[in-house]
Amino acid sequence: MSFSKCPPVKTPENFGILIICLLICVFDTYLNAILNAQQTELTLFDGLKVVSATRNVDITSQIVKVKTEFELKNEGKEDVSFFVNVITEDEAKHLSWMVAFETGKETGKFRVSRAKVKGAPDGFIFHKLELLNLLSTGSAIKVTVEYALTEYLVPHPKEIIQSENQLVLYSGLANIPSAYSLLKETCIYKVGSVQPIAFTDVSLSKYASGKITYGPYENSKPYTKKPITIHCENNSPFLVATKVDRFIEISHWGGNLAVEENVEIVNKGAFLKGSFSRLDFQMDRRGMKQPVVRSFKSILPPATRDIYYRDEIGNISTSSVYPRNDRVEVELRPRFPLFGGWRTNYVLGYNIPSSSFLHSSGSNYALRMKMMDRLFDNAVVQKLRLKIILPEMSTNIKLVTPYSVKRLPDETYKTYLDTFGRPVVVIEKENLINNHIQTFTANYNDLYQKIKIYFFSFIMNLNVFI
């Protein structure tokens, strides 16, 4: 019997691979530690009591809007610095926006951060709301928490013919999820003027005037769940912008900001079953109450000019512009009505004087603009990519955003009379609604602006003499 000779082990190469694996493990452990540190484990204040809580849930559009008002009282021996708000895991998957403040004082927003609660059961997600002032012993405060869920309502049935109304299914709770005992609670669902097809009937539930009321319930224990479903009519547009590429180009020469948005939209309502009839569409007596998108209105900044609206084919003439005192309204009408499952894309662009948004002090500049324009009512944007094209040779670029975003590596954009190209700041954000239309600030230094002006002036004068 003969044995083949084993190849020699290359120790240096294996050792290098081992080192790389160890480095990857260390980096992964470090990254997980950072992520876990962002969700601090909290111990609730024993003396904090929820005297009453009222929750209002609006399911009349494609966005589920939740507003809960808590009346809190500190009956403990120590001051209270935070309150914990609770949502279900299903809601957390669709959470787009959340804000908290003292009732009646909307300007003083609380800091909201994801957290863990010691000893809490599974199935709940917690957010720590940091009070602006300590709640001393014996004091009380009213707190309002608002949040929005996107793509949470489910069309049921999933397909409808052209003459049918759109029905949706909502799954939630008849009570308010809480980490605290609730002395009194009420949950109200706004479902519209049409009586719902069906809803879960639990104790102390009723329907009246377009609202389903659950409660009031008394002495509810923490982490209580009373699951319900609501099946109701909802013909509002389920229009979703799957992708928005927004470009802002700064021109110091002309004192102009050129803005362009490339938008892909889809109607995520119940799919159209069967063929489309133009005649039936025009003769439908429901008019604007049909579950179809005929047109939508975008809102642009005041002083907007040179507006254009086009797609891959060319200019789309079915649009109207309505200047207002504080805005410019643009009614956009696609080339065809958008039924459930139908999609289209378009480009909307305009120019605007930079004096309203670009501020300077010497060679230092600050651009303050909105993260995005209002595309349409109750808009849902799955993914926004914003590109800010700064003047050539800009330096010391700093970006301040109103909420967390993903900043991608800077790019370079070359256009007329450029030598090195213009720096481009690129950021991304997912799952946005109109509440995210807030102001960012892009700071940069353009020390070479005067040099460029003097240089081109010299060239122009030289040509005159020649």
Side-chain angles (χ1 to χ4, degrees):
M1 182 180 294
S2 61
F3 296 91
S4 59
K5 187 177 181 181
C6 295
V9 178
K10 297 181 179 180
T11 306
E13 290 185 6
N14 293 341
F15 182 74
I17 294 174
L18 179 62
I19 292 297
I20 293 174
C21 292
L22 288 174
L23 290 175
I24 292 175
C25 292
V26 171
F27 177 77
D28 185 64
T29 304
Y30 176 71
L31 183 61
N32 289 331
I34 293 176
L35 294 176
N36 291 330
Q38 293 176 352
Q39 297 185 21
T40 56
E41 190 171 65
L42 303 175
T43 301
L44 301 180
F45 292 96
D46 294 333
L48 185 61
K49 304 296 181 182
V50 180
V51 179
S52 66
T54 303
R55 188 187 197 201
N56 288 274
V57 184
D58 187 345
I59 58 174
T60 58
S61 68
Q62 70 164 331
I63 300 175
V64 177
K65 304 170 185 176
V66 183
K67 180 179 180 180
T68 309
E69 295 181 350
F70 297 94
E71 183 179 351
L72 311 177
K73 187 175 182 180
N74 185 2
E75 297 181 356
K77 297 181 180 180
E78 58 179 333
D79 295 342
V80 174
S81 60
F82 66 87
F83 172 71
V84 174
N85 186 66
V86 182
I87 62 176
T88 64
E89 283 187 339
D90 290 338
E91 289 181 320
K93 296 175 183 177
H94 301 267
L95 181 65
S96 172
W97 173 80
M98 178 181 286
V99 67
F101 50 87
E102 185 177 351
T103 304
K105 300 179 180 179
E106 289 82 355
T107 55
K109 301 291 192 301
F110 298 163
R111 182 181 177 184
V112 180
S113 58
R114 188 86 168 258
K116 293 181 179 179
V117 173
K118 189 175 182 179
D122 296 333
F124 298 96
I125 301 298
F126 305 91
H127 289 88
K128 178 183 178 182
L129 315 179
E130 299 182 22
L131 305 179
L132 297 181
N133 300 301
L134 292 176
L135 186 64
S136 58
T137 301
S139 299
I141 187 176
K142 291 184 178 180
V143 173
T144 298
V145 180
E146 298 179 2
Y147 62 91
L149 309 176
T150 59
E151 301 186 56
Y152 189 80
L153 298 176
V154 180
H156 187 75
K158 295 182 178 180
E159 294 183 349
I160 57 175
I161 61 175
Q162 189 172 329
S163 60
E164 288 182 315
N165 290 318
Q166 179 174 268
L167 305 178
V168 298
L169 197 64
Y170 170 86
S171 300
L173 299 176
N175 65 296
I176 302 173
S178 174
Y180 309 87
S181 298
L182 303 178
L183 299 182
K184 185 179 180 180
E185 63 170 329
T186 305
C187 204
I188 304 170
Y189 287 90
K190 183 180 179 181
V191 295
S193 58
V194 180
Q195 185 166 348
I197 306 300
F199 63 92
T200 304
D201 186 12
V202 298
S203 61
L204 299 178
S205 62
K206 64 177 181 179
Y207 168 80
S209 303
K211 295 181 180 180
I212 301 173
T213 303
Y214 290 96
Y217 303 114
E218 296 182 353
N219 299 320
S220 300
K221 295 182 179 180
Y223 310 115
T224 300
K225 277 188 176 183
K226 296 180 180 179
I228 62 165
T229 57
I230 300 175
H231 192 202
C232 61
E233 180 180 311
N234 187 340
N235 283 329
S236 63
F238 277 43
L239 194 58
V240 176
T242 56
K243 183 180 179 182
V244 177
D245 290 331
R246 177 174 168 87
F247 303 88
I248 302 175
E249 184 176 354
I250 304 173
S251 173
H252 286 178
W253 294 91
N256 184 71
L257 299 176
V259 182
E260 183 175 283
E261 292 179 336
N262 295 269
V263 185
E264 297 178 4
I265 56 176
V266 60
N267 186 346
K268 288 208 169 184
F271 279 41
L272 177 64
K273 182 169 61 176
S275 59
F276 165 67
S277 170
R278 173 69 68 174
L279 178 61
D280 293 342
F281 174 70
Q282 293 177 342
M283 296 182 64
D284 197 320
R285 294 184 178 181
R286 292 175 297 174
M288 299 303 295
K289 293 184 179 180
Q290 298 180 67
V292 60
V293 179
R294 295 168 175 260
S295 63
F296 49 91
K297 182 172 62 177
S298 295
I299 297 180
L300 308 180
T304 296
R305 62 176 187 268
D306 306 329
I307 301 173
Y308 56 90
Y309 170 47
R310 64 171 185 259
D311 59 8
E312 295 176 350
I313 299 176
N315 182 59
I316 305 175
S317 59
T318 52
S319 61
S320 302
V321 178
Y322 304 98
R324 309 297 184 192
N325 292 332
D326 58 344
R327 65 190 184 278
V328 174
E329 298 179 358
V330 183
E331 184 181 4
L332 305 177
R333 187 179 296 271
R335 295 185 184 274
F336 48 86
L338 296 177
F339 285 86
W342 293 17
R343 63 180 64 236
T344 187
N345 59 77
Y346 66 90
V347 177
L348 178 64
Y350 58 89
N351 290 314
I352 191 168
S354 62
S355 56
S356 301
F357 303 95
L358 188 61
H359 310 273
S360 63
S361 176
S363 59
N364 297 316
Y365 291 83
L367 175 68
R368 297 187 179 95
M369 287 193 72
K370 301 295 184 182
M371 291 286 293
M372 64 177 185
D373 291 324
R374 189 184 185 95
L375 299 178
F376 40 85
D377 293 338
N378 293 309
V380 174
V381 178
Q382 287 186 344
K383 185 176 182 179
L384 168 70
R385 174 173 288 187
L386 172 62
K387 292 189 176 183
I388 308 167
I389 305 174
L390 303 176
E392 190 178 25
M393 302 177 73
S394 296
T395 58
N396 298 328
I397 302 171
K398 296 180 181 179
L399 185 67
V400 181
T401 57
Y403 37 78
S404 61
V405 298
K406 180 181 179 181
R407 181 165 178 179
L408 302 179
D410 292 352
E411 300 177 357
T412 302
Y413 173 75
K414 289 187 177 182
T415 185
Y416 305 105
L417 300 178
D418 285 348
T419 304
F420 305 102
R422 307 183 183 191
V424 181
V425 178
V426 185
I427 59 177
E428 282 186 353
K429 179 71 175 177
E430 295 181 351
N431 195 13
L432 297 95
I433 59 176
N434 287 338
N435 297 88
H436 288 97
I437 303 178
Q438 300 180 30
T439 303
F440 72 86
T441 302
N443 299 292
Y444 63 94
N445 185 283
D446 192 14
L447 183 62
Y448 304 99
Q449 174 69 7
K450 292 184 178 180
I451 298 176
K452 289 184 284 186
I453 293 176
Y454 292 149
F455 175 75
F456 282 105
S457 298
F458 172 76
I459 295 297
M460 295 298 294
N461 292 330
L462 186 62
N463 290 335
V464 171
F465 285 114
I466 292 176

